[in-house]
Amino acid sequence: MILANQFELEPKDVVYVGQGGLVRFNRLLNLLLPAINAAVTGAVLAK
């Protein structure tokens, strides 16, 4: 971060921005929630 101000951008430069922690957490939830929902639904129907 200290050196970030020393880099000058030129036309057609490409800047990559890493994912934040919240984005990774959201992707994890999107992967887990369908399985959790299916398990809860199965448990309710089994009663």
Side-chain angles (χ1 to χ4, degrees), residues 8-26:
E8 294 187 22
L9 294 177
E10 301 293 331
K12 297 188 180 182
D13 280 352
V14 177
V15 177
Y16 292 95
V17 179
Q19 298 175 352
L22 188 58
V23 172
R24 285 181 290 208
F25 179 71
N26 187 27

